[in-house]
Amino acid sequence: MPAKPSDAKLIGLFLDMLAAEQGAGPNTLDAYRRDLTDFSEFLGRVGHTFVDAQTQTLRDYLAALDTRGFKSTSVARRLSAMRHLYRFLLNERIRGDDPAAILSGPKRGRGLPKVLSIADVDRMLRRAKELSEAEDASPSKRLRALRLYCLLEVLYATGLRTSELVALPRSAAKRDARMIVVRGKGNKERLVPLNEASRQAMADYLAATEAAKADKKNSVAASKWLFPSFGESGHLTRQHFARDLKELAVASGLQARLVSPHVLRHAFASHLLHNGADLRIVQTLLGHTDISTTQIYTHVVEERLKSLVRDLHPLAEK
């Protein structure tokens, strides 16, 4: 009788399938790996593996997550990972049943995304521009300020995911480019328009990196990335950008906990919808495959429709 494959081997096979068949990116694969490794460790403590665990054991794991203080959204994500894993094991005939099929997830309230007001975003943009134009700043400090201002303008103009933004190639900032090609989840490409402010911020930032060529120790201008990491190979990390953004928020008089790259992505979508954009257009710009993902913003559309009826309907109360 052949030996049962280990949980670690099954996780590896499952991740290979996600990458090959569904085009899952590194961040998605890392999230699945962390979630399934934690699940495997729990099974090991109670004497089970992926191959022999039954539905009640899976329920016990979900209950343990709740005891450990996991939020309902995190428990739901772990359950989703388990469901995908057992569907894979069933399809590969490693198991003859699916113990996760009848599991129900935690009840979740429909959380609305955190959104900055237009005035808040304007404050951050103004402050970032002031820092980029500071005459007493050293060349390296000014270059970092220009990079942050450019990142902020492009993010608010396009609503890109943080991973998409920091990994933009230098060629994305072509002179007079009205659109940029973005490679998103599943390696899918989409066209995203740029506004005048973001194009100008790109031009100013690139001019500064060209000037940095005079310093042989500075490799920024030689990088293939639009936002290279200073002093290291590769592009700026998501974590570094998030830290810089929170520092800018504080400098702008906002609370750091309320500001993140993802919050600015939400602001982009909400502000577009508030000003009359179609939900399908916003879906395309955000790179959402399913319209249901974009529907977290329907509260914005609903409020706008209520305002239109209240203000424009002939029978509305005056």
Side-chain angles (χ1 to χ4, degrees), residues 22 74 122 133-134 140 152 158 169 207 256 260 285 287 291 316:
Q22 300 184 21
S74 298
D122 281 343
E133 294 174 344
S140 62
L152 187 57
T158 62
S260 71
L285 293 173
I291 188 65

Side-chain angles (χ1 to χ4, degrees), residues 113-186:
K114 293 180 182 178
V115 178
L116 294 171
S117 68
I118 294 175
D120 289 338
V121 177
D122 281 343
R123 285 167 66 183
M124 291 185 66
L125 286 168
R126 285 198 304 271
R127 184 57 180 152
K129 188 165 181 61
E130 288 171 2
L131 292 172
S132 71
E133 294 174 344
E135 295 181 357
D136 58 344
S138 65
S140 62
K141 191 172 182 179
R142 182 171 181 272
L143 191 58
R144 289 174 185 272
L146 280 167
R147 182 181 67 181
L148 180 57
Y149 176 59
C150 184
L151 281 160
L152 187 57
E153 282 284 9
V154 174
L155 176 54
Y156 186 53
T158 62
L160 297 183
R161 298 180 180 92
T162 316
S163 55
E164 296 169 345
L165 176 66
V166 297
L168 282 175
R170 193 176 180 84
S171 58
K174 293 178 181 177
R175 189 181 300 277
D176 299 327
R178 301 283 173 175
M179 310 276 284
I180 55 174
V181 178
V182 178
R183 191 179 298 276
K185 284 188 175 181

Side-chain angles (χ1 to χ4, degrees), residues 113-116 121 124 148 151-152 154-166 236-249 255-269 286 297:
K114 293 180 182 178
V115 178
L116 294 171
V121 177
M124 291 185 66
L148 180 57
L151 281 160
L152 187 57
V154 174
L155 176 54
Y156 186 53
T158 62
L160 297 183
R161 298 180 180 92
T162 316
S163 55
E164 296 169 345
L165 176 66
V166 297
L236 181 73
T237 64
R238 293 174 300 145
Q239 295 82 359
H240 193 144
F241 175 41
R243 287 197 303 271
D244 286 351
L245 199 57
K246 287 186 179 296
E247 290 178 4
L248 177 64
Q255 296 183 54
R257 65 180 179 82
L258 300 179
V259 179
S260 71
H262 204 62
V263 168
L264 278 162
R265 175 171 157 88
H266 287 319
F268 162 82
L286 292 175
Y297 300 106

Side-chain angles (χ1 to χ4, degrees), residues 214-276:
D215 183 355
K216 294 182 180 179
K217 295 179 181 179
N218 196 319
S219 60
V220 171
S223 175
K224 68 176 183 178
W225 306 109
L226 179 57
F227 302 111
S229 176
F230 291 105
E232 300 176 10
S233 59
H235 58 69
L236 181 73
T237 64
R238 293 174 300 145
Q239 295 82 359
H240 193 144
F241 175 41
R243 287 197 303 271
D244 286 351
L245 199 57
K246 287 186 179 296
E247 290 178 4
L248 177 64
V250 172
S252 305
L254 302 175
Q255 296 183 54
R257 65 180 179 82
L258 300 179
V259 179
S260 71
H262 204 62
V263 168
L264 278 162
R265 175 171 157 88
H266 287 319
F268 162 82
S270 295
H271 296 170
L272 278 179
L273 289 167
H274 181 75
N275 285 289

Side-chain angles (χ1 to χ4, degrees), residues 5-18 21-22 36 50 80-100:
S6 68
D7 284 358
K9 183 176 181 180
L10 291 177
I11 291 174
L13 292 172
F14 173 66
L15 296 178
D16 288 344
M17 180 278 295
L18 288 179
E21 297 183 15
Q22 300 184 21
L36 293 176
F50 291 157
S80 176
M82 291 157 59
R83 284 173 172 159
H84 279 84
L85 171 70
Y86 280 109
R87 217 171 294 142
F88 166 74
L89 297 182
L90 183 63
N91 291 338
E92 295 296 315
R93 299 183 180 179
I94 296 171
R95 283 194 64 136
D97 64 339
D98 181 353

